[in-house]
Every structure is written in structure tokens, then in C-alpha cells.
Amino acid sequence: MQHGPAVRRRKLGAELRSLRTSAGLTSGEAARLVGWHQSKVSRIETGASGVKPADVRLLLDAYAVADAQLRELVMVLAGSEDGSGRHHWWHAYRGVLPPTYRDFISLESQASAMSTLETSVVPGLLQTPEYATAVTRAAVGGLDDERLDALVKVRLARQDVLRSDPPLELSAVLDEAVLHREVGGPDVMARQLERLVEAAQLPQVRLQVLPFAAGAHVGVTGPFVIFSFASTSDLDVVVLDHLTSSLYLERKEDLQAYTEAFNALQYHALSPEDSLEYIAGIGDGA
């Protein structure tokens, strides 16, 4: 388990090492192609040191990487803007966002799919502004109005990934408690349930409710997120949130364990159709 930036350096280094090997180059040969010492290539590949986006671009060119999507993903791992020219909008909020949260948003913005178990609150990508405000105020104590407003704006801006082309594929399993926990008062919660009903009908969203009747389940240990990337599964990562930080799991064994756990949760949850009906029923007071 490591913090996000360290994981990103290691993932970037591993991907660059794989691309160099595929190009049939030794680390020494790669270094000579770009005019560096071999030790610099080695430090980058092991994640021992950071690397500038411009240097990563040099390596991609040296390795003759032509796959636009793969280049884009590698450049994002390096902290660059993506290949379509979209700015990393969250950079404007550096003053209010901790590094691990910025790292989470960066992964979320480039992932092709996201699987999430939520046991307490509605996923951030599906929250209404009023619900997001209430959750943020409760989760982060002592916020002044300006900082609270900034954090809520960030949470709502993240939701653009569901409207991008192509959109993020979101699979969410919500513990039934999420639907009954009254966040922000009855009116706020009623609108939030309406929003879930609307989201559940989107083709890129698979929303399932894990009912109380399911009893104890593998998710009782807490919520988690799995990010998947279309270009390569080697970049997939599990994120565990804690009160003051986030932990990132990158080992294949961890990814397999959490993927199997999520599949089991989906199996025991209500179907997407039944979940939609259930959520609508709560909203109607049934």
C-alpha cells in the first residue's frame, strides 16, 4: 500500500520500462538515444525519481510509441495535459486539494471504467450540489464558506467524466444504508434520490443496491474504488479512502482480490432494474 504520487511514479516507470523492452532497447541504448546517463533511465523506471513530461515525451519518441491513447495515458501519469489538449482543471484548486485527492481526480479523469462500493454516502460522481455541500461540510470540519464552495465545485466538476466522449463507465454498488442516511435534510435527500434514478438510466452507469437482507458481506470492511484503463491493465489500481489520506493498491494480487470482491457484491445486490425501482420507491415514500 502506498500513497498515490508514489504509485504513479512506479506505474509510470514500469510502463516506460515495458515500452523500452518492447522496442528492443537496453537502458543504456535508450539513454544514448535521448542524450542521458543510463542511471537517469534506471531511476525513472524504478520510480526512484520523478520525471518531467517533456522527458517522458522524448522517451516515447525514442521507443517509437505510435498508439495515441497509450501515449496520452503515459503522459497523464507524468503530470502532463492529455493528448486532446484538455487542461487539468483541478490544477486551479491546488491550494485547497491535498496531493492524494488531486492524484485521485487525475486517475478518474483518464480511466475507462470505475467500480465503486459505497457504504455510507452517494458516490461523488452522482451527488447533487446540495448533497455534496452537506457531505463536504460534515466530512471536513472548520471549513470557511470560500473553501467549502471550492471543494463542492471540484466534486461537481469531476462529474464531467460521465459526459465525456467516450464517457467513464461507472459501476456502483450502494449499501442500502446510503439511501436511508438523511444527508442535508429531507428535501436534499429527496432530490438526491431523484438524481440516482436519473443516473441509473444512463447507459454508462450500472447502479445496484445491496439490501440489508444480504446480511454480512465482503464490503463491511469499508468502501473502495477500482480504476481500470483501456490501454493496459498494468495501470489498474484500487483506492481506499481514509479520514486524512488515501491508499493505493497496485499489486496484481490486490487487484484480483478486490475485483472478485466487487463481482461478489454485484451478485448479491439487487439487479440494476430492481435497484432503480427500489430507489424510486424510497423517493416516493413507498
Side-chain angles (χ1 to χ4, degrees):
M1 294 187 292
Q2 299 192 34
H3 293 289
V7 169
R8 288 170 65 83
R9 286 197 304 271
R10 288 186 57 187
K11 285 187 174 295
L12 174 61
E15 187 64 24
L16 289 172
R17 181 172 61 250
S18 175
L19 291 172
R20 172 180 60 76
T21 301
S22 297
L25 298 171
T26 66
S27 58
E29 291 169 337
R32 285 192 293 273
L33 281 174
V34 295
W36 299 344
H37 290 293
Q38 181 179 358
S39 60
K40 180 173 180 177
V41 174
S42 297
R43 289 196 305 272
I44 291 172
E45 290 185 352
T46 59
S49 64
V51 56
K52 297 178 181 178
D55 286 344
V56 173
R57 192 172 290 107
L58 282 176
L59 291 175
L60 293 177
D61 291 341
Y63 303 158
V65 178
D67 185 321
Q69 188 175 20
L70 180 55
R71 286 183 69 100
E72 177 180 315
L73 183 57
V74 173
M75 290 307 301
V76 169
L77 283 174
S80 176
E81 294 179 5
D82 64 38
S84 65
R86 289 176 300 181
H87 291 278
H88 290 176
W89 55 266
W90 56 91
H91 287 180
Y93 296 90
R94 282 182 177 273
V96 296
L97 300 180
T100 51
Y101 191 21
R102 295 200 303 266
D103 206 62
F104 181 92
I105 297 172
S106 180
L107 290 171
E108 183 180 70
S109 71
Q110 292 302 316
S112 58
M114 173 180 173
S115 301
T116 180
L117 165 69
E118 288 292 350
T119 58
S120 298
V121 297
V122 170
L125 295 183
L126 304 178
Q127 292 178 5
T128 65
E130 298 79 12
Y131 187 99
T133 299
V135 166
T136 303
R137 182 180 287 115
V140 186
L143 287 176
D144 57 40
D145 290 343
E146 184 177 358
R147 185 176 173 86
L148 174 64
D149 182 62
L151 290 174
V152 171
K153 285 181 178 178
V154 168
R155 181 157 299 194
L156 298 179
R158 285 172 46 201
Q159 298 177 3
D160 284 345
V161 294
L162 295 176
R163 297 183 287 270
S164 60
D165 185 20
L168 176 77
E169 299 287 336
L170 174 64
S171 296
V173 173
L174 309 185
D175 190 279
E176 187 176 350
V178 172
L179 306 177
H180 294 285
R181 178 168 288 103
E182 193 172 276
V183 174
D187 292 341
V188 170
M189 200 62 200
R191 174 59 192 133
Q192 180 59 68
L193 292 174
E194 290 176 2
R195 168 63 181 140
L196 287 178
V197 170
E198 295 167 0
Q201 299 177 70
L202 296 173
Q204 67 269 34
V205 175
R206 180 183 176 91
L207 187 61
Q208 293 179 258
V209 175
L210 190 65
F212 291 139
H217 53 77
V218 68
V220 295
T221 55
F224 60 86
V225 173
I226 305 172
F227 286 122
S228 302
F229 296 85
S231 296
T232 170
S233 62
D234 288 341
L235 297 179
D236 293 357
V237 63
V238 177
V239 185
L240 307 178
D241 271 337
H242 296 270
L243 182 61
T244 57
S245 65
S246 298
L247 291 176
Y248 293 66
L249 309 179
E250 59 175 331
R251 297 187 310 165
K252 291 187 182 298
E253 310 92 275
D254 295 323
L255 285 163
Q256 181 178 351
Y258 276 87
T259 298
E260 291 176 353
F262 190 76
N263 291 340
L265 290 166
Q266 286 186 309
Y267 176 79
H268 291 291
L270 301 177
S271 69
E273 296 76 18
D274 289 343
S275 296
L276 175 59
E277 183 178 346
Y278 185 76
I279 296 171
I282 295 177
D284 293 337

